[in-house]
Amino acid sequence: WLTGTVTGVLATGALVAVPSPGGGGPQTGFLHVSKLGDGYVEAVEDVLEVGQELPVRVFQVDVDAGKLLLTTRSLKDLSA
């Protein structure tokens, strides 16, 4: 698990800054609403706010596109 900090809240999810694995500044990843917890989330702003810290896992990395996708779900729940 990494400790991420919410930097932006969107209708479809949140932007979360996480520590870079090689050191240096944090990297921003996207936490989609469907990967936010184990239950249904109707509105992201009801559960997250800018500046909030939360534990996240890296779910997917797209090096070519420079995208980092995050989740707060446990590994057994990622297939859902």
Side-chain angles (χ1 to χ4, degrees):
W1 292 95
L2 301 170
T3 299
T5 303
V6 177
T7 59
V9 176
L10 311 168
T12 57
L15 300 175
V16 179
V18 294
S20 178
Q27 300 294 311
T28 299
F30 181 67
L31 175 59
H32 189 268
V33 65
S34 68
K35 302 296 184 204
L36 182 57
D38 297 324
Y40 176 75
V41 175
E42 185 171 334
V44 178
E45 61 271 10
D46 289 345
V47 293
L48 293 178
E49 61 185 37
V50 173
Q52 180 179 346
E53 289 189 347
L54 71 160
V56 295
R57 290 182 189 257
V58 175
F59 174 61
Q60 185 177 8
V61 177
D62 185 338
V63 176
D64 294 331
K67 293 183 180 179
L68 183 65
L69 302 180
L70 306 171
T71 183
T72 61
R73 299 171 101 186
S74 63
L75 290 178
K76 65 182 173 98
D77 296 330
L78 289 181
S79 60

